[in-house]
Amino acid sequence: MSSERIFLSPPHMSGNELELVKEAFASNYIAPVGPMLTAFEKEFAAYTGIAHCLALASGTAAIHLALKELGVGPGDEVVASTLTFIGSVSPATFLGASLVFVDCDRESWNMDPDLLAELLEQRSTTGKLPKAVVVTDLYGQCADLDKILSICDPHGIPVIADAAEAAGATYKNRAAGKGAYAAVYSFNGNKIITTSGGGLLASEDQRLIDRARFLSTQAREPFPHYEHEEIGFNYRMSNIVAAIGRGQLQVLDDRVKRKREIFDLYRELLSDQPGLSFMPEADYGRANRWLTVMLIDKETYGADPETIRLALEAHNIESRPVWKPMHLQPVFKNTPVVGGAVAEDLFARGLCLPSGTALTDAQLEHIAALIKACRK
Ligand SMILES: *Cc1c(COP(=O)(O)O)cnc(C)c1O
């Protein structure tokens, strides 16, 4: 059992991907354009119900392009969730903007709308308004998007939904990200579906997507020679990678189903353990349960998350602390934060458990038994 490493959330191919990659090879579109890319974007648009989709090299690139196109630059402020992954917030710094972080709430572990409202109220009376708000859908659970939009809309501040972890999740029966000005998805190797690496920007605003497409391919003006009036990026997804994405998209709903089963099984197996609890599910949506996240009350359980992590590691099983809040990161030591205590508490008590969709129930039972053995 301990010979083969169990990863946190490894890629899980369906088998169809290889056929599609072969098709892409046969067409000789070994390039960042081609029929697979166009088809992947169309199919993703159909899946999410968001009109315009642009496949890119990463989710980070997608956020970068969205912020850039919103005119974010030096002297501007971008609001973001503190409990998130670095890729959600680094693009604002690429553009020379400053960040302000907002704590999460206990119901969803996502940006607390009340704290966001407080911040915008304060900024509107004493200073300049933030240029954009980036809201993370953490661990595949959507933030309360409509509430956040109702806070941002009166100030005219656009909202970018960072649904990098949330493909396949829903919010009020809409696809994760739908309803925001722009939505971002990631197909990095550890995400619920993967293209090895990749991302996507989606929006109802065709202008945004057209501009982002232009910027993602080196901002080449329509001339026979290479002509540049502005600086762009080399951020497009390749046609080969898009073939993997098409195969993965076909099984996204199956992956969500299995991720949710994994969460339920962990919770069931560990339900008799005092001091253990699991990430709540907000009643407005259906999380994809990308990762099963457990909270450990050290006093009651007699072991802390690190003890459990090391015990699993000793059996060649990967687990990981809850994301370290951005306001605690050395690189953001001078960045303001509204609140922060909830994210700090979740970081201190949280552990992400192996959640790969190819794991068997027997493997999950083995992991649960190892966790139980840590109890003092
Ligand atoms: C993975 C992730 C990103 C970045 O996506 P990449 O494709 O790895 O660049 C951004 N935000 C969140 C919340 C993520 O989990």
Side-chain angles (χ1 to χ4, degrees), residues 61-237:
I63 297 176
H64 190 188
L65 290 175
L67 290 177
K68 166 109 181 141
E69 202 34 42
L70 287 170
V72 171
D76 290 327
E77 202 171 50
V78 172
V79 182
S81 319
T82 192
L83 192 59
T84 191
F85 178 70
I86 186 70
S88 192
V89 302
S90 54
T93 73
F94 302 166
L95 294 161
S98 53
L99 283 153
V100 51
F101 299 123
V102 174
D103 203 358
C104 52
D105 61 36
R106 292 206 179 268
E107 293 71 44
S108 70
W109 298 14
N110 285 311
M111 188 184 283
D112 184 332
D114 296 332
L115 295 182
L116 174 66
E118 255 176 53
L119 172 69
L120 297 189
E121 218 35 66
Q122 191 272 335
R123 288 295 191 271
S124 72
T125 52
T126 64
K128 195 175 137 185
L129 282 167
K131 197 91 173 189
V133 175
V134 181
V135 183
T136 298
D137 295 337
L138 196 75
Y139 300 130
Q141 163 148 275
C142 293
D144 196 349
L145 185 61
D146 285 352
K147 206 161 173 189
I148 286 164
L149 289 173
S150 76
I151 292 161
C152 293
D153 284 350
H155 296 286
I157 304 172
V159 174
I160 298 171
D162 179 358
E165 302 174 0
T170 59
Y171 172 79
K172 297 183 182 172
N173 292 318
R174 317 195 297 253
K178 187 175 165 65
Y181 175 62
V184 168
Y185 306 87
S186 170
F187 312 115
N188 192 40
N190 60 354
K191 298 288 156 60
I192 187 162
I193 56 169
T194 180
T195 59
S196 74
L200 188 140
L201 180 65
S203 179
E204 307 296 349
D205 182 359
Q206 180 165 8
R207 227 203 91 264
L208 170 71
I209 298 302
D210 287 348
R211 277 284 305 166
R213 180 179 288 110
F214 171 76
L215 290 173
S216 73
T217 48
Q218 304 284 23
R220 288 172 300 180
E221 299 295 336
F223 286 88
H225 60 270
Y226 287 136
E227 176 88 4
H228 303 280
E229 292 173 12
E230 58 190 303
I231 297 296
F233 307 90
N234 185 1
Y235 273 176
R236 199 75 161 109
M237 179 182 278

